[in-house]
PDB file of all heavy atoms in Angstrom:
ATOM      1  N   MET A 297      98.186  80.242 101.283  1.00 98.00           N
ATOM      2  CA  MET A 297      97.298  81.382 101.389  1.00 98.00           C
ATOM      3  C   MET A 297      97.438  82.064 102.700  1.00 98.00           C
ATOM      4  O   MET A 297      97.456  83.331 102.746  1.00 98.00           O
ATOM      5  CB  MET A 297      95.839  80.918 101.234  1.00 98.00           C
ATOM      6  CG  MET A 297      95.465  80.468  99.773  1.00 98.00           C
ATOM      7  SD  MET A 297      93.831  79.832  99.616  1.00 98.00           S
ATOM      8  CE  MET A 297      93.755  79.555  97.844  1.00 98.00           C
ATOM      9  N   GLU A 298      97.558  81.343 103.772  1.00 98.00           N
ATOM     10  CA  GLU A 298      97.730  81.849 105.112  1.00 98.00           C
ATOM     11  C   GLU A 298      99.077  82.646 105.144  1.00 98.00           C
ATOM     12  O   GLU A 298      99.157  83.689 105.749  1.00 98.00           O
ATOM     13  CB  GLU A 298      97.632  80.776 106.164  1.00 98.00           C
ATOM     14  CG  GLU A 298      96.272  80.157 106.291  1.00 98.00           C
ATOM     15  CD  GLU A 298      96.248  78.995 107.253  1.00 98.00           C
ATOM     16  OE1 GLU A 298      97.273  78.601 107.666  1.00 98.00           O
ATOM     17  OE2 GLU A 298      95.115  78.466 107.516  1.00 98.00           O
ATOM     18  N   PHE A 299     100.076  82.016 104.609  1.00 98.00           N
ATOM     19  CA  PHE A 299     101.426  82.565 104.521  1.00 98.00           C
ATOM     20  C   PHE A 299     101.417  83.919 103.800  1.00 98.00           C
ATOM     21  O   PHE A 299     101.864  84.923 104.190  1.00 98.00           O
ATOM     22  CB  PHE A 299     102.363  81.601 103.897  1.00 98.00           C
ATOM     23  CG  PHE A 299     103.757  82.091 103.655  1.00 98.00           C
ATOM     24  CD1 PHE A 299     104.649  82.222 104.768  1.00 98.00           C
ATOM     25  CD2 PHE A 299     104.192  82.438 102.419  1.00 98.00           C
ATOM     26  CE1 PHE A 299     105.921  82.734 104.552  1.00 98.00           C
ATOM     27  CE2 PHE A 299     105.528  82.850 102.245  1.00 98.00           C
ATOM     28  CZ  PHE A 299     106.325  82.998 103.271  1.00 98.00           C
ATOM     29  N   GLY A 300     100.755  83.857 102.625  1.00 98.00           N
ATOM     30  CA  GLY A 300     100.661  85.079 101.740  1.00 98.00           C
ATOM     31  C   GLY A 300      99.854  86.178 102.348  1.00 98.00           C
ATOM     32  O   GLY A 300     100.297  87.323 102.258  1.00 98.00           O
ATOM     33  N   LEU A 301      98.746  85.882 102.962  1.00 97.00           N
ATOM     34  CA  LEU A 301      97.958  86.940 103.642  1.00 97.00           C
ATOM     35  C   LEU A 301      98.739  87.623 104.703  1.00 97.00           C
ATOM     36  O   LEU A 301      98.672  88.861 104.935  1.00 97.00           O
ATOM     37  CB  LEU A 301      96.616  86.311 104.166  1.00 97.00           C
ATOM     38  CG  LEU A 301      95.406  86.283 103.266  1.00 97.00           C
ATOM     39  CD1 LEU A 301      94.223  85.800 104.042  1.00 97.00           C
ATOM     40  CD2 LEU A 301      95.095  87.700 102.609  1.00 97.00           C
ATOM     41  N   GLY A 302      99.500  86.820 105.518  1.00 97.00           N
ATOM     42  CA  GLY A 302     100.262  87.470 106.596  1.00 97.00           C
ATOM     43  C   GLY A 302     101.305  88.384 106.033  1.00 97.00           C
ATOM     44  O   GLY A 302     101.491  89.456 106.598  1.00 97.00           O
ATOM     45  N   LEU A 303     101.960  87.996 104.956  1.00 97.00           N
ATOM     46  CA  LEU A 303     102.930  88.886 104.327  1.00 97.00           C
ATOM     47  C   LEU A 303     102.257  90.102 103.665  1.00 97.00           C
ATOM     48  O   LEU A 303     102.824  91.249 103.761  1.00 97.00           O
ATOM     49  CB  LEU A 303     103.751  88.129 103.233  1.00 97.00           C
ATOM     50  CG  LEU A 303     104.678  87.088 103.804  1.00 97.00           C
ATOM     51  CD1 LEU A 303     105.287  86.323 102.623  1.00 97.00           C
ATOM     52  CD2 LEU A 303     105.786  87.726 104.629  1.00 97.00           C
ATOM     53  N   ALA A 304     101.168  89.915 103.076  1.00 97.00           N
ATOM     54  CA  ALA A 304     100.362  91.086 102.459  1.00 97.00           C
ATOM     55  C   ALA A 304     100.043  92.083 103.512  1.00 97.00           C
ATOM     56  O   ALA A 304     100.161  93.310 103.321  1.00 97.00           O
ATOM     57  CB  ALA A 304      99.160  90.631 101.757  1.00 97.00           C
ATOM     58  N   ARG A 305      99.642  91.650 104.722  1.00 96.00           N
ATOM     59  CA  ARG A 305      99.319  92.595 105.790  1.00 96.00           C
ATOM     60  C   ARG A 305     100.626  93.349 106.223  1.00 96.00           C
ATOM     61  O   ARG A 305     100.577  94.560 106.537  1.00 96.00           O
ATOM     62  CB  ARG A 305      98.772  91.834 107.007  1.00 96.00           C
ATOM     63  CG  ARG A 305      97.403  91.270 106.673  1.00 96.00           C
ATOM     64  CD  ARG A 305      96.766  90.697 107.946  1.00 96.00           C
ATOM     65  NE  ARG A 305      95.539  90.001 107.666  1.00 96.00           N
ATOM     66  CZ  ARG A 305      95.340  88.627 107.614  1.00 96.00           C
ATOM     67  NH1 ARG A 305      96.469  87.881 107.883  1.00 96.00           N
ATOM     68  NH2 ARG A 305      94.258  88.071 107.356  1.00 96.00           N
ATOM     69  N   LYS A 306     101.752  92.625 106.213  1.00 97.00           N
ATOM     70  CA  LYS A 306     102.962  93.324 106.599  1.00 97.00           C
ATOM     71  C   LYS A 306     103.431  94.334 105.628  1.00 97.00           C
ATOM     72  O   LYS A 306     103.864  95.465 106.017  1.00 97.00           O
ATOM     73  CB  LYS A 306     104.100  92.213 106.808  1.00 97.00           C
ATOM     74  CG  LYS A 306     103.846  91.343 108.068  1.00 97.00           C
ATOM     75  CD  LYS A 306     104.953  90.335 108.260  1.00 97.00           C
ATOM     76  CE  LYS A 306     104.707  89.470 109.473  1.00 97.00           C
ATOM     77  NZ  LYS A 306     105.838  88.420 109.628  1.00 97.00           N
ATOM     78  N   ILE A 307     103.407  94.032 104.363  1.00 96.00           N
ATOM     79  CA  ILE A 307     103.821  95.029 103.360  1.00 96.00           C
ATOM     80  C   ILE A 307     102.755  96.215 103.358  1.00 96.00           C
ATOM     81  O   ILE A 307     103.208  97.401 103.129  1.00 96.00           O
ATOM     82  CB  ILE A 307     104.043  94.541 101.979  1.00 96.00           C
ATOM     83  CG1 ILE A 307     102.786  94.062 101.276  1.00 96.00           C
ATOM     84  CG2 ILE A 307     105.112  93.408 101.998  1.00 96.00           C
ATOM     85  CD1 ILE A 307     102.870  93.832  99.859  1.00 96.00           C
ATOM     86  N   GLY A 308     101.558  95.897 103.682  1.00 94.00           N
ATOM     87  CA  GLY A 308     100.591  96.994 103.820  1.00 94.00           C
ATOM     88  C   GLY A 308     100.881  97.928 104.946  1.00 94.00           C
ATOM     89  O   GLY A 308     100.725  99.129 104.869  1.00 94.00           O
ATOM     90  N   GLY A 309     101.316  97.306 106.042  1.00 94.00           N
ATOM     91  CA  GLY A 309     101.742  98.119 107.194  1.00 94.00           C
ATOM     92  C   GLY A 309     102.883  99.019 106.898  1.00 94.00           C
ATOM     93  O   GLY A 309     102.953 100.114 107.557  1.00 94.00           O
ATOM     94  N   LEU A 310     103.713  98.658 105.921  1.00 94.00           N
ATOM     95  CA  LEU A 310     104.874  99.508 105.482  1.00 94.00           C
ATOM     96  C   LEU A 310     104.408 100.448 104.434  1.00 94.00           C
ATOM     97  O   LEU A 310     105.303 101.214 103.893  1.00 94.00           O
ATOM     98  CB  LEU A 310     105.994  98.613 105.086  1.00 94.00           C
ATOM     99  CG  LEU A 310     106.619  97.719 106.150  1.00 94.00           C
ATOM    100  CD1 LEU A 310     107.633  96.791 105.508  1.00 94.00           C
ATOM    101  CD2 LEU A 310     107.347  98.623 107.149  1.00 94.00           C
ATOM    102  N   ASP A 311     103.163 100.394 103.971  1.00 91.00           N
ATOM    103  CA  ASP A 311     102.611 101.260 102.906  1.00 91.00           C
ATOM    104  C   ASP A 311     103.339 101.048 101.615  1.00 91.00           C
ATOM    105  O   ASP A 311     103.717 101.911 100.798  1.00 91.00           O
ATOM    106  CB  ASP A 311     102.702 102.724 103.264  1.00 91.00           C
ATOM    107  CG  ASP A 311     101.690 103.572 102.407  1.00 91.00           C
ATOM    108  OD1 ASP A 311     100.899 102.977 101.805  1.00 91.00           O
ATOM    109  OD2 ASP A 311     101.834 104.810 102.466  1.00 91.00           O
TER     110      ASP A 311
END
Side-chain angles (χ1 to χ4, degrees):
M297 288 175 179
E298 292 174 355
F299 176 73
L301 272 184
L303 289 174
R305 294 186 186 104
K306 288 181 179 178
I307 68 164
L310 296 171
D311 201 13

